[in-house]
Amino acid sequence: MIFQYQYRGFSRVGSTPRSTAMTFVPDGGRPPMAFNGLLRDKLPFREAICAMHRVVTGDLRWKPKEREDYKAWAATQEEVWLAEFMERAGEIKGQVSAVREELDTLRSRKWEVMTPFRDAKQRYFQHIYKWERIWWIVLDPVITVHPDQVFFECFSQDESSYARLSCTHDVFEKVGDFTCGTTNIDYSAPLYDEFRKIRDYKETALAIDPGGFEVKTGDDPALREEKIDVPDSWVRGFLQVSSAMTLDGIEVDLDPMDFHAICFHLKRKKERHGPRSLRFRLNPGQPPVIIVDPWGTEIVCRRSFHHAKENTEIRLWGRRRLLVLEAMIPLARRVKVRLLGYGMPSFWQVDMGALNFTLGLSGWTANDWSRAGQFDLMAPRTAVSTEAVEMVLGALNRSWFSSASSLAAQLSMPPADVLGALVAGTQAGLVVKDPGDDLWRARALSREPLPLDRLRFSNEREAKARELFQRGSVKVEVEERIGERQIAGIVDDGKTRYPVEAVIDADERLVRAKCSCNFFQQNRLRLGPCEHVLAARMAKARYHFSAK
């Protein structure tokens, strides 16, 4: 998928002994927007914006070791080893010694000759890391200005971490004229180096340069047009995060010192074998207990609390990604965690008053959002007409943010239909939900509509479910209960008849399921529902829509 940018100049940070001025250059191809403010909370902003840099450049995927040097050395040694094996007399030994000396001399000369090349190669990679950021960063961060806050969003290279920095207007001593909207901002490694220079005693200004939207004719030497080929999986992963934010989970409210204890244990020891996980043991009326595997170290968080209503143990992997938040611990009031389930994603929100940093993590590092976290499949899917979706999104765009209940009252629509329209907007990259709140915000991920037909089926299971549903291979019965619906039915794929059960809560979320197929027996809901559960849910949506 090609993303095109038009930048007039470069983002920059000007620093003097008394002041710092941060100016972000926006994408000139988007609708005009602007912002100008004088920061009050400088240190929290510095640590949070630097944490975003660590996320956007983060890539924790396993990389095989480069063994080219060893292979080259082994190839040169084969003749020597063969000679050693065949040598039988003193003459041969003497010849072998002479050959060894000659080879050592040649290797030394080769090393000397190749040293300038290796140094130049290293300087080249350092240069592109510093200046050619598009080779290292998949997509420039997204910044959105709303009447009540400014927030930044980014996604990691390995597609396993999402970061959002939300700054209410209380973060600023003074806010000038601003224009609401969303844009990508020009970002580079030198900009990060300047962020580190922000100090509490310096007056610090943040601005989005409105000059980036000026229309000029003829050749403009300051205008840069960039095209970035972004993998479909990266874009799909960003959309999956928006869908995952709409799901309910178990809330854990950690004291910053309890979170520091987690980071302390992760940095103190290096695991040599699995499981490399964190286990949350949550019992009602007791403080949360976090177990660090594989050592079984228990951290009793006596200053923290949770909202679990029954005894629960939830395990998370990819825990070292949490170290991104470590620098914000001295500035944090609380660290709020939302756990979606065993081996499923989690959201970690660092509360710094008027400034909040949210880190969304997939179930484990290799389990990226796009390929294994099919959370749009478990989001509300109430059957909603195109006209209703346009009405809801139009009302949201006019107010920029609103709750689902307010939109339902304003448009005189059923709350379930409004919620379904909002979730459809998140899947299209047009809406994002505030973590922990019932606030939905207008935010266009790209300046051009995303190709949803290409992104619609992110895996074979959803495509197969649609096929089973369309050919009438699904028979279900829906039982209405207090606060939920019980779905029971049979799905016939032409070879086997699978009994299926699923539970949909009052917000149209899939909360429990059961199927006899091999995929579900192995993975449960950790990799998303199987095609038979999906097909039953589609049949349930038609049943409910017909009843209405």
Side-chain angles (χ1 to χ4, degrees):
M1 187 178 303
I2 302 296
F3 281 78
Q4 297 185 356
Y5 301 123
Q6 293 179 355
Y7 293 125
R8 183 165 282 106
F10 296 88
S11 295
R12 59 194 180 276
V13 177
S15 183
T16 67
R18 294 186 177 182
S19 64
T20 300
M22 297 176 290
T23 304
F24 296 104
V25 174
D27 178 10
R30 283 181 177 254
M33 60 170 294
F35 184 84
N36 194 349
L38 200 62
L39 275 174
R40 175 186 290 112
D41 301 333
K42 304 178 186 65
L43 295 186
F45 181 85
R46 180 190 69 189
E47 298 304 334
I49 200 72
C50 290
M52 288 200 72
H53 171 83
R54 292 190 288 273
V55 171
V56 79
T57 58
D59 188 355
L60 297 179
R61 289 172 292 193
W62 179 80
K63 301 176 183 64
K65 294 182 179 179
E66 295 184 2
R67 302 181 181 274
E68 299 301 326
D69 293 340
Y70 169 75
K71 291 179 180 178
W73 174 81
T76 61
Q77 286 292 105
E78 286 183 0
E79 296 182 3
V80 177
W81 291 335
L82 181 61
E84 289 179 347
F85 180 75
M86 298 180 62
E87 67 180 73
R88 294 291 184 271
E91 293 183 4
I92 297 179
K93 289 183 179 180
Q95 293 175 3
V96 169
S97 299
V99 169
R100 282 179 175 172
E101 292 178 1
E102 185 177 358
L103 284 174
D104 291 341
T105 302
L106 290 174
R107 290 193 190 103
S108 299
R109 292 178 58 189
K110 178 182 176 181
W111 182 266
E112 293 175 0
V113 171
M114 294 298 292
T115 295
F117 168 76
R118 285 191 299 271
D119 294 343
K121 181 179 177 181
Q122 182 65 23
R123 289 195 302 271
Y124 169 72
F125 282 114
Q126 290 176 350
H127 171 79
I128 66 173
Y129 179 78
K130 187 173 182 179
W131 299 105
E132 302 293 337
R133 72 199 180 290
I134 63 174
W135 289 32
W136 298 86
I137 301 174
V138 176
L139 196 63
D140 282 331
V142 178
I143 183 172
T144 302
V145 176
H146 275 188
D148 64 328
Q149 68 173 231
V150 179
F151 61 92
F152 302 78
E153 294 176 280
C154 69
F155 204 46
S156 64
Q157 290 190 52
D158 59 12
E159 303 171 10
S160 72
S161 303
Y162 161 86
R164 172 174 167 173
L165 170 59
S166 302
C167 308
T168 68
H169 289 182
D170 293 336
V171 173
F172 302 92
E173 291 182 7
K174 180 182 178 182
V175 176
D177 294 336
F178 63 88
T179 303
C180 296
T182 300
T183 187
N184 295 88
I185 56 172
D186 172 63
Y187 187 83
S188 60
L191 199 61
Y192 166 73
D193 296 334
E194 296 297 328
F195 287 150
R196 297 301 306 169
K197 300 177 183 178
I198 295 176
R199 295 294 183 268
D200 196 37
Y201 57 84
K202 286 186 178 183
E203 184 179 83
T204 303
L206 183 148
I208 300 173
D209 184 10
F213 299 102
E214 294 177 357
V215 177
K216 294 187 179 181
T217 58
D219 294 332
D220 184 0
L223 182 64
R224 296 180 294 116
E225 293 192 2
E226 298 177 356
K227 293 184 179 180
I228 302 180
D229 189 3
V230 178
D232 288 354
S233 61
W234 195 95
V235 180
R236 187 182 301 118
F238 212 128
L239 301 180
Q240 296 285 19
V241 177
S242 300
S243 294
M245 286 183 181
T246 67
L247 299 178
D248 289 332
I250 297 178
E251 303 287 340
V252 181
D253 196 310
L254 292 178
D255 184 271
M257 291 309 298
D258 290 331
F259 181 75
H260 174 265
I262 299 175
C263 297
F264 173 76
H265 283 285
L266 293 179
K267 296 182 71 173
R268 183 182 181 186
K269 296 182 180 179
K270 176 68 174 178
E271 62 276 359
R272 298 182 180 274
H273 58 83
R276 300 172 174 85
S277 62
L278 289 178
R279 281 185 287 152
F280 284 77
R281 184 180 297 163
L282 309 175
N283 298 326
Q286 299 181 14
V289 178
I290 300 175
I291 303 171
V292 185
D293 292 325
W295 309 286
T297 305
E298 291 190 359
I299 303 173
V300 182
C301 306
R302 303 189 186 280
R303 292 160 288 199
S304 307
F305 57 91
H306 61 88
H307 301 283
K309 297 180 180 179
E310 58 184 9
N311 293 347
T312 306
E313 183 168 296
I314 297 177
R315 175 174 282 182
L316 306 176
W317 283 265
R319 59 198 181 184
R320 292 198 177 273
R321 293 172 291 175
L322 293 174
L323 296 177
V324 168
L325 307 176
E326 185 182 20
M328 289 178 276
I329 293 176
L331 306 168
R333 297 180 180 180
R334 305 293 292 181
V335 179
K336 301 175 182 178
V337 187
R338 187 157 91 252
L339 306 171
L340 300 187
Y342 184 94
M344 295 180 70
S346 58
F347 290 91
W348 302 69
Q349 183 178 3
V350 181
D351 180 6
M352 292 179 280
L355 189 146
N356 286 278
F357 187 93
T358 302
L359 180 66
L361 304 177
S362 58
W364 51 92
T365 306
N367 176 18
D368 61 72
W369 289 93
S370 62
R371 281 189 288 271
Q374 316 299 335
F375 299 104
D376 60 338
L377 309 182
M378 289 186 284
R381 287 204 167 188
T382 302
V384 183
S385 65
T386 304
E387 293 78 9
V389 173
E390 291 176 352
M391 286 178 58
V392 172
L393 296 186
L396 185 64
N397 287 331
R398 288 190 293 272
S399 61
W400 295 105
F401 66 94
S402 180
S403 64
S405 57
S406 297
L407 288 173
Q410 176 185 346
L411 300 173
S412 300
M413 292 177 60
D417 289 353
V418 172
L419 186 59
L422 289 172
V423 172
T426 66
Q427 295 169 353
L430 302 174
V431 179
V432 66
K433 185 176 183 291
D434 271 2
D437 296 323
D438 185 29
L439 277 182
W440 301 75
R441 297 182 179 274
R443 185 268 286 140
L445 182 59
S446 64
R447 70 186 189 189
E448 298 167 351
L450 297 174
L452 297 182
D453 291 340
R454 194 166 77 189
L455 297 172
R456 181 183 181 189
F457 296 129
S458 53
N459 58 50
E460 296 181 0
R461 299 195 305 278
E462 189 169 1
K464 290 179 180 177
R466 175 63 62 177
E467 181 182 352
L468 290 171
F469 171 69
Q470 290 179 341
R471 74 183 186 204
S473 301
V474 186
K475 296 181 180 180
V476 298
E477 293 182 357
V478 179
E479 179 184 350
E480 299 285 346
R481 297 183 177 180
I482 299 177
E484 64 182 24
R485 295 187 184 94
Q486 176 82 33
I487 303 174
I490 300 293
V491 180
D492 187 354
D493 66 357
K495 298 179 181 179
T496 309
R497 291 166 57 88
Y498 294 97
V500 173
E501 295 180 8
V503 177
I504 309 295
D505 70 4
D507 289 328
E508 296 294 323
R509 298 182 179 92
L510 176 65
V511 293
R512 293 189 300 277
K514 183 185 295 185
C515 182
S516 58
C517 71
N518 182 63
F519 178 87
F520 185 87
Q521 295 300 318
Q522 289 185 348
N523 301 292
R524 302 295 175 180
L525 291 177
R526 289 190 290 275
L527 300 184
C530 65
E531 60 263 31
H532 311 107
V533 173
L534 288 174
R537 179 167 189 177
M538 293 175 186
K540 170 262 168 191
R542 182 180 64 177
Y543 171 91
H544 183 55
F545 187 71
S546 300
K548 292 199 299 179

